[in-house]
Amino acid sequence: MSIDVKVGDWAMQRADAQAIRFEVFVVEQKVPLEMEWDDMDPLCIHAVAYEAGGKAIGTGRLLPDGHVGRMAVMRGVRGQGVGGALLESLMNEARKRGDTAVILNAQTQAESFYRRFGFVREGEEFMEAGIPHIAMRYDFP
C-alpha cells in the first residue's frame, strides 16, 4: 500500500485527524467524546496518513513534551504499515525539534507494535478511558 504522511498543525490537519479519531476512538472503542477532545490539539504537531487515492486513513500527534498520542488507524487498513509510517513521522519531528526521547501511553494490545520501533515498557499496566495501557519510551541515540 502506498502511504503519504502529511505533518502539520491542528488548523491544517483538524478535519481529517478529527474524523479518524472519532471513528476509531469514540465509535469503535467507545471512548467518551468528552475524553477524546482536549485543549492540547492546537499545541501539537499532527500527522495524517493518506492512501494513494487521497483518503485519510490514520493519524497521530506529538505533544510539546515529547509524548506521542492519539495514534489511530482506520480498521480496514490496519496491519499495512500505516501506523508505522505515522509513528516514524512523529518520531522524526521530535528528533528535528531536539527532543531526547519520545514517550507514549500504549494500549496494552499494541505493546508489540511499539516494541518493533525500539520502545521499551515503563511501569505497570493502568487504565485510561476504560482501556488497559502501559507507558513506553524511546530514547534517541
Side-chain angles (χ1 to χ4, degrees):
M1 166 182 278
S2 175
I3 303 164
D4 180 31
V5 176
K6 294 185 178 161
V7 176
D9 63 15
W10 187 235
M12 174 197 290
Q13 304 290 49
R14 180 180 185 154
D16 289 336
Q18 204 167 38
I20 294 163
R21 285 168 47 186
F22 182 83
E23 179 63 29
V24 172
F25 295 128
V26 178
V27 174
E28 183 182 333
Q29 297 182 355
K30 309 292 187 235
V31 172
L33 187 59
E34 61 275 9
M35 290 184 74
E36 177 52 32
W37 311 124
D38 61 25
D39 57 359
M40 294 305 296
D41 280 321
L43 307 175
C44 294
I45 296 170
H46 294 267
V48 177
Y50 297 88
E51 63 184 7
K55 180 181 177 189
I57 54 175
T59 191
R61 71 181 187 180
L62 176 66
L63 284 86
D65 67 358
H67 269 86
V68 167
R70 302 304 201 270
M71 289 280 294
V73 175
M74 298 297 283
R75 180 179 284 171
V77 294
R78 291 182 192 149
Q80 299 181 44
V82 178
L86 286 164
L87 184 59
E88 287 177 337
S89 292
L90 292 169
M91 290 173 72
N92 286 337
E93 291 297 315
R95 186 181 293 113
K96 285 193 304 192
R97 187 170 69 185
D99 295 356
T100 58
V102 176
I103 48 183
L104 53 84
N105 293 336
Q107 292 184 10
T108 305
Q109 53 86 17
E111 180 178 3
S112 62
F113 166 78
Y114 291 107
R115 282 189 184 278
R116 288 196 304 269
F117 292 89
F119 283 80
V120 294
R121 183 179 186 152
E122 294 187 324
E124 299 299 316
E125 185 176 290
F126 60 93
M127 296 298 284
E128 187 173 35
I131 301 168
H133 282 73
I134 54 166
M136 300 188 81
R137 176 183 188 95
Y138 176 89
D139 289 297
F140 291 113

